[in-house]
Structure formats: structure tokens, C-alpha cells
Amino acid sequence: MRDEVRTFVIEQLADMNYDVEDVDDGTTLGPSGVDLESLALADLAVRVEDRYGLKFADDESEKLALMTVGEFTTMVAGRVAPNSDNS
């Protein structure tokens, strides 16, 4: 699941016109990394929410900017996985 989420996040960043050539799991989403502004972070969060059926709390947006791509994808995958197969 984590690899799928990571691929989706990278695709969305590229779709949002960010340079993803050097983006890896250690790249931060905010300043000194991908450099997403608050509106872009919100856009990415909404895209992830829509794709994976989860919700981020309003107070999480500042935390997202400090996360690396790896931390973000791990968090999303962790929230999705318990909901994806309850068999």
C-alpha cells in the first residue's frame, strides 16, 4: 500500500507542476524540499483524501509541511490499510 500511495503522491506533485525529478522519501513537503505552499499542501491533502477516502484534521496542515515524502506516505498508508481489508 505504501508504494501505491507514494506513486500517487509523486504523480499529484508532478500534476501540480512541481519538479519531482529529485524527490525521494527524505524530501520534505514544505520549505527546503518540494516547497509546497499552504494552498498546495491543502490541494495535495484533498487529492489524497479523495483518492483514499480519508480525512486530515484541520490542525494537521502545519505538520504536513514538516513531513518528508516518506513520512507522509507511511502515515497515509497506515490510515488506509486498516480500512482496506477488514476480512
Side-chain angles (χ1 to χ4, degrees), residues 37-74:
E37 304 271 332
S38 57
L39 280 174
L41 271 168
D43 186 13
L44 178 62
V46 167
R47 291 172 184 226
V48 169
E49 287 175 342
D50 289 348
R51 172 67 177 86
Y52 294 103
L54 53 89
K55 271 295 205 200
F56 294 107
D58 292 340
D59 63 348
E60 284 186 292
S61 57
E62 287 181 30
K63 294 176 192 169
L64 296 181
L66 301 175
M67 287 184 163
T68 64
V69 171
E71 291 167 340
F72 180 68
T73 56
T74 298

